């Protein structure tokens, strides 16, 4: 084994300290330097957030069923007062959702719902709506939807809260479906096979 002289160790220690100081200076400069300009979306970001469209989706669990969602939702910030939140939420919204499901055997269910929340981010939106009329779902229940607007590059997609998630187990070990909170939804898991959706995104959560 080679032994290192005291002089060479001291020299290397000084060099290491000098390098560390230089790196610290570079890191500080990076932290305090102005942030680089970020290219803005070339699309029109004016007006409220919106989701519109009507589409048939492919639900993999029952691929032969015919399922349609028609959505007309628009952001309406601070329009729905809540207990403790007299000004409502920046993601408050208005609009309608119509859902229909015809099974391969011919059974038919449909529902109408009133939109109460909408959040957007780029090509994706989540919204919730409260059931107002249905022959298969409970009036007053809130449903959650997610939408992906592919902008012509691939297929649009949609997810719905009662499809493959939103399950929990109560204290007695029984499975149940929890209440859906405002703007809560799954990822848009189901591809559109006919029709499509348009997502107009704005930073509504910072309004």
């Amino acid at each position: 084994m080679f032994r290192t002289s005291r002089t060479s160790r001291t020299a290397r220690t000084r060099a290491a300290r000098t390098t560390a100081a230089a790196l610290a200076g570079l890191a500080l400069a990076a932290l305090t330097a102005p942030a680089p300009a970020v290219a803005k979306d070339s699309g029109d970001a004016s007006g409220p957030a919106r989701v519109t469209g009507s589409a048939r989706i492919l639900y993999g669990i029952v691929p032969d069923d015919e399922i349609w969602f028609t959505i007309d939702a628009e952001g309406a910030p601070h329009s729905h007062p809540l207990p403790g939140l007299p000004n409502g939420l920046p993601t408050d919204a208005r609009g309608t959702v119509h859902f229909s499901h015809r099974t391969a055997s011919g059974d038919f269910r449909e529902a109408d719902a009133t939109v109460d929340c909408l959040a957007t981010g780029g090509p994706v939106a989540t919204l919730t709506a409260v059931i107002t009329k249905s022959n298969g779902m409970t009036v007053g229940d809130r449903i959650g939807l997610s939408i992906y607007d592919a902008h012509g590059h691939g297929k649009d997609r949609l997810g719905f809260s009662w499809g493959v998630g939103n399950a929990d187990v109560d204290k007695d070990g029984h499975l149940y479906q929890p209440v859906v909170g405002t703007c809560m939804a799954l990822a848009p898991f189901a591809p559109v096979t006919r029709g499509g959706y348009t997502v107009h995104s704005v930073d509504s959560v910072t309004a």
Side-chain angles (χ1 to χ4, degrees), residues 78-160:
H78 307 292
S79 61
H80 302 323
L82 294 169
L85 291 171
N87 296 323
L89 297 168
T91 50
D92 287 344
R94 55 176 170 255
T96 58
V97 171
H98 181 76
F99 159 73
S100 66
H101 184 171
R102 186 180 300 278
T103 67
S105 62
D107 187 33
F108 183 74
R109 295 287 183 268
E110 62 180 340
D112 292 316
T114 299
V115 175
D116 63 356
C117 189
L118 172 63
T120 57
V124 178
T126 63
L127 65 89
T128 46
V130 178
I131 301 293
T132 57
K133 181 181 178 181
S134 178
N135 66 344
M137 304 179 78
T138 303
V139 172
D141 279 2
R142 180 182 288 111
I143 59 174
L145 304 178
S146 59
I147 301 93
Y148 167 66
D149 179 357
H151 295 292
H153 302 288
K155 296 181 178 181
D156 293 353
R157 304 180 72 90
L158 181 141
F160 51 100

Side-chain angles (χ1 to χ4, degrees), residues 4-193:
T4 304
S5 68
R6 180 182 181 88
T7 301
S8 60
R9 286 200 304 268
T10 302
R12 283 200 297 271
T13 300
R14 289 175 179 172
R17 288 175 179 172
T18 301
T19 301
L23 291 174
L26 288 173
L28 180 61
L31 290 172
T32 57
V38 178
K40 294 185 178 180
D41 186 355
S42 59
D44 178 15
S46 62
R50 291 189 301 274
V51 177
T52 56
S54 183
R56 179 178 177 175
I57 64 166
L58 175 62
Y59 184 31
I61 295 176
V62 284
D64 295 326
D65 289 8
E66 183 175 355
I67 303 173
W68 285 82
F69 285 88
T70 300
I71 301 169
D72 184 5
E74 180 179 82
H78 307 292
S79 61
H80 302 323
L82 294 169
L85 291 171
N87 296 323
L89 297 168
T91 50
D92 287 344
R94 55 176 170 255
T96 58
V97 171
H98 181 76
F99 159 73
S100 66
H101 184 171
R102 186 180 300 278
T103 67
S105 62
D107 187 33
F108 183 74
R109 295 287 183 268
E110 62 180 340
D112 292 316
T114 299
V115 175
D116 63 356
C117 189
L118 172 63
T120 57
V124 178
T126 63
L127 65 89
T128 46
V130 178
I131 301 293
T132 57
K133 181 181 178 181
S134 178
N135 66 344
M137 304 179 78
T138 303
V139 172
D141 279 2
R142 180 182 288 111
I143 59 174
L145 304 178
S146 59
I147 301 93
Y148 167 66
D149 179 357
H151 295 292
H153 302 288
K155 296 181 178 181
D156 293 353
R157 304 180 72 90
L158 181 141
F160 51 100
S161 57
W162 64 99
V164 294
N166 196 34
D168 207 343
V169 178
D170 65 20
K171 60 183 179 61
D172 297 319
H174 300 134
L175 184 69
Y176 76 101
Q177 193 170 69
V179 172
V180 175
T182 56
C183 277
M184 297 293 99
L186 290 167
F189 57 85
V192 165
T193 60

